[in-house]
């Protein structure tokens, strides 16, 4: 079957048959997040929480992810991508199963913390693993499909949250966990370790064997390994390499600035505010009904899913820079529509403008997130500091998400939605400006070629121009 589809013959496609196992594991994490987010009110009633106390469940998830990312940098650096990916998935399944049958809030929060920790470790491992085993021809697809499968799992969790007993879709959750367990067992036997990690710890023979397994061509594997060994020849790695290399620091600060500007444009806050945005239409009872709120939530997750699909399918065809800039412009336009609708007040068309603005914003923002975090981050960071940079950037993203969860209500009270959307719009315009000036198109460029040009002092915008 695999050979019929071409997976057994094309060297650029062969790695995807291994990544499919990791993508399926990502669906389990997505399902858990979608189910938890959609069932916040059910969980609030079950555990007798009031007001925004229900946010403590989602906040505990994010707090666990922060710890998972903080420790994940060292774990991935010392133990490799494969074992951390499998360990994160196993811990995530255990946490999800414990959360399903938690008898009280304390056990529920502990289970969510473990799930968040596992999600942080798994995400970091998968992003590095996908970039390091694929060839330039479809590296963007390989890096983006993990997020697409995560979004697919989240969408399934939201669409099925009203199935089953009061705790929500318990039977389906158990089915997802058992399927993920089967995939995990298969992945433990099938997945190879990252050849770049093996080379970095002084195992070139093992790296060559893995490359031959991934490429199916010994000549191609040997040439690729020679370039990898050249990049790992020096001893400085991780934070030590970061402190000693000015080009590495430059690309790190640009990536961190772009990701924080995406958060400042409302990436996390918008999802938390979905239920409150229609307060301007409170005189229209339909827009405040639970049916409309749930329908909007389903639409939001569906649009996010299609946004990730768009990124996965177009990132290698259009290139990173073009796709990211187009999505950033759409994001700024959506914020302009939202700002106008907030100034318009209680007009009959206001709910329609809000709905279109929110859905357009979600579609554009997830494309930006997929390109920036899923693809450009592991591509632009040098191999000797890739774990350090990825862990630090993802950690800042998780902290920003937690800050948005805790502070957006206070910001709305202080600025109002009009002022908040205007601030988001200014950040989005600055985001577009930085993309235009700094982001390269790294499609079709090898990781080692990008790293060599970076360390030679090439401008960031030109890192992907030279043919490898």
């Amino acid at each position: 079957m695999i050979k019929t589809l071409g997976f057994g013959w094309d060297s650029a496609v062969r790695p995807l048959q291994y990544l499919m196992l990791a993508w399926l594991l990502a669906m389990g994490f997505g399902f858990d997040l979608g189910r938890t987010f959609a069932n916040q009110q059910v969980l609030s009633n079950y555990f007798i929480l009031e007001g925004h106390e229900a946010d403590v469940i989602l906040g505990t998830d994010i707090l666990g992810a922060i710890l998972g990312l903080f420790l994940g940098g060292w774990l991935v650096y010392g133990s490799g991508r494969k074992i951390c990916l499998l360990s994160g998935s196993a811990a995530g399944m255990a946490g999800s199963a414990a959360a399903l049958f938690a008898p009280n809030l304390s056990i529920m929060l502990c289970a969510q913390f473990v799930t968040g920790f596992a999600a942080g470790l798994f995400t970091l491992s998968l992003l590095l693993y996908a970039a390091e085993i694929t060839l330039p021809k479809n590296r963007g697809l390989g890096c983006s499909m993990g997020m697409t499968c995560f979004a697919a799992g989240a969408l399934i969790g939201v669409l099925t949250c009203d199935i089953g007993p009061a705790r929500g879709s318990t039977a389906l959750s158990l089915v997802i966990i058992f399927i993920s367990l089967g995939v995990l067992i298969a992945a433990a036997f099938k997945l190879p370790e990252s050849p770049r990690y093996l080379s970095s710890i002084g195992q070139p023979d093992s790296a060559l064997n893995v490359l031959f397994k991934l490429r199916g061509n010994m000549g191609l594997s040997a040439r690729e390994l020679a370039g990898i060994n050249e990049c790992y020849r020096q001893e400085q790695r991780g934070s030590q390499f970061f402190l000693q290399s000015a080009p590495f620091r430059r690309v790190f600060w640009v990536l961190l600035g772009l990701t924080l500007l995406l958060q400042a444009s409302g990436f996390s806050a918008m999802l938390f505010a979905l239920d409150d945005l229609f307060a301007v239409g409170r005189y229209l009872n339909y827009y405040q009904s639970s049916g409309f709120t749930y329908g909007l939530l389903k639409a939001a997750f569906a649009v996010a899913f299609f946004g990730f699909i768009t990124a996965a399918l177009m990132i290698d065809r259009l290139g990173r820079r073009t796709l990211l800039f187009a999505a950033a412009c759409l994001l700024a336009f959506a914020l302009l529509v939202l700002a106008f609708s907030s100034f318009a007040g209680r007009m009959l068309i206001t709910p329609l403008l809000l709905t279109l603005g929110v859905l357009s914003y979600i579609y554009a923002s997830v494309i930006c997130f997929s390109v920036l975090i899923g693809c450009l981050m592991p591509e632009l960071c040098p191999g000797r500091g890739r774990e350090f940079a990825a862990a630090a950037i993802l950690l800042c993203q998780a902290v920003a998400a937690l800050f948005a969860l805790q502070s957006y209500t206070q910001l709305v009270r202080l600025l109002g939605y009009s002022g908040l959307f205007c601030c988001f719009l200014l950040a989005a315009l600055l985001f577009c400006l930085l993309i235009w000036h700094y982001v390269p198109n790294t499609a079709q460029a090898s990781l080692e070629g990008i790293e060599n040009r970076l360390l030679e002092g090439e401008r960031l915008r030109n890192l992907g121009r030279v043919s490898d």
Side-chain angles (χ1 to χ4, degrees):
M1 178 66 175
I2 290 177
K3 291 184 178 181
T4 302
L5 294 173
F7 286 97
W9 304 107
D10 191 340
S11 296
V13 179
R14 284 172 66 93
L16 300 185
Q17 62 183 310
Y18 300 105
L19 280 178
M20 283 181 183
L21 295 173
W23 297 340
L24 291 174
L25 293 175
M27 288 187 67
F29 283 102
F31 178 83
D32 183 77
L33 174 65
R35 179 180 57 83
T36 301
F37 196 92
N39 280 310
Q40 281 193 91
Q41 187 58 50
V42 175
L43 294 172
S44 178
N45 295 335
Y46 186 86
F47 293 116
I48 316 177
L49 302 176
E50 297 180 359
H52 289 282
E53 289 180 353
D55 291 342
V56 71
I57 297 174
L58 191 58
T60 303
D61 247 330
I62 300 175
L63 191 62
I66 291 174
L67 181 61
L69 292 169
F70 181 77
L71 297 178
W74 282 282
L75 293 173
V76 175
Y77 174 89
S79 302
R81 285 60 164 139
K82 177 182 176 180
I83 190 171
C84 289
L85 190 149
L86 298 177
S87 300
S89 179
M93 283 184 273
S96 298
L100 282 176
F101 303 104
N104 54 58
L105 182 60
S106 298
I107 296 178
M108 176 70 176
L109 295 180
C110 291
Q112 292 300 126
F113 184 84
V114 171
T115 303
F117 177 90
L121 180 60
F122 177 86
T123 301
L124 176 61
S125 306
L126 179 58
L127 290 177
L128 298 180
Y129 186 75
E132 291 180 351
I133 72 169
T134 49
L135 279 173
K137 183 178 179 180
N138 53 16
R139 188 172 58 236
L141 174 66
C143 293
S144 303
M145 278 301 296
M147 292 186 179
T148 304
C149 291
F150 181 90
L155 179 60
I156 294 172
V158 170
L159 294 178
T160 59
C161 74
D162 54 352
I163 299 175
R167 293 294 299 277
S169 56
T170 302
L172 182 59
S173 298
L174 290 175
V175 170
I176 295 292
I177 290 173
F178 281 116
I179 292 175
S180 298
L181 181 60
V183 175
L184 177 64
I185 295 173
F189 291 99
K190 293 288 187 180
L191 289 185
E193 181 55 271
S194 165
R196 286 167 172 83
Y197 172 74
L198 293 173
S199 177
S200 71
I201 60 175
Q203 298 183 16
D205 293 338
S206 298
L208 182 60
N209 291 332
V210 170
L211 282 172
F212 178 69
K213 181 179 181 180
L214 293 171
R215 310 296 183 238
N217 185 307
M218 183 57 74
L220 177 63
S221 302
R223 289 193 298 271
E224 185 174 355
L225 180 61
I228 294 172
N229 289 336
E230 182 67 21
C231 288
Y232 284 105
R233 186 175 55 181
Q234 300 182 18
E235 294 183 0
Q236 295 85 1
R237 292 185 62 192
S239 58
Q240 185 181 8
F241 179 47
F242 174 78
L243 294 174
Q244 293 184 0
S245 175
F248 182 22
R249 292 197 300 271
R250 180 180 59 181
V251 74
F252 174 82
W253 293 124
V254 168
L255 287 171
L256 182 61
L258 286 170
T259 56
L260 291 180
L261 279 174
L262 180 59
Q263 288 288 350
S265 301
F267 179 74
S268 297
M270 193 66 69
L271 192 58
F272 300 142
L274 274 179
D275 197 22
D276 301 327
L277 283 176
F278 291 84
V280 294
R282 191 163 290 166
Y283 60 97
L284 299 173
N285 293 330
Y286 172 70
Y287 294 108
Q288 291 299 304
S289 66
S290 59
F292 176 78
T293 301
Y294 180 48
L296 181 63
L297 187 64
K298 290 190 289 186
F301 275 83
V303 168
F305 172 64
F306 285 111
F308 281 118
I309 287 182
T310 301
L313 296 179
M314 303 306 295
I315 192 169
D316 288 315
R317 296 183 180 183
L318 295 179
R320 284 61 159 152
R321 173 186 168 83
T322 302
L323 182 60
L324 182 60
F325 184 74
C329 291
L330 177 59
L331 183 146
F333 177 75
L335 286 171
L336 182 63
V337 172
L338 289 171
F340 173 79
S341 65
S342 62
F343 281 114
R346 298 190 175 187
M347 296 175 57
L348 187 62
I349 198 175
T350 297
L352 177 61
L353 290 177
L354 282 173
T355 303
L356 294 177
V358 167
L359 296 182
S360 298
Y361 176 89
I362 292 173
Y363 180 77
S365 63
V366 298
I367 294 177
C368 291
F369 186 81
S370 181
V371 176
L372 189 58
I373 297 295
C375 193
L376 283 173
M377 182 185 70
E379 283 184 338
L380 296 180
C381 295
R384 286 180 287 143
R386 192 169 289 134
E387 304 95 339
F388 169 80
I393 292 171
L394 290 173
L395 180 63
C396 290
Q397 287 287 292
V399 171
L402 187 61
F403 174 80
L405 175 64
Q406 298 298 324
S407 65
Y408 93 89
T409 302
Q410 289 77 10
L411 290 175
V412 169
R413 291 174 181 172
L414 179 64
L415 301 174
Y417 280 110
S418 301
L420 190 62
F421 287 141
C422 287
C423 291
F424 288 167
L425 179 58
L426 290 176
L429 293 175
L430 183 57
F431 182 58
C432 294
L433 185 63
L434 286 182
I435 292 171
W436 180 260
H437 282 287
Y438 292 107
V439 172
N441 178 26
T442 53
Q444 310 299 324
S446 70
L447 294 178
E448 287 68 41
I450 296 170
E451 179 176 343
N452 289 332
R453 291 189 289 275
L454 172 67
L455 298 182
E456 288 170 359
E458 188 71 55
R459 292 178 56 193
L460 295 183
R461 188 172 175 178
N462 299 333
L463 292 181
R465 287 186 177 178
V466 180
S467 177
D468 296 314

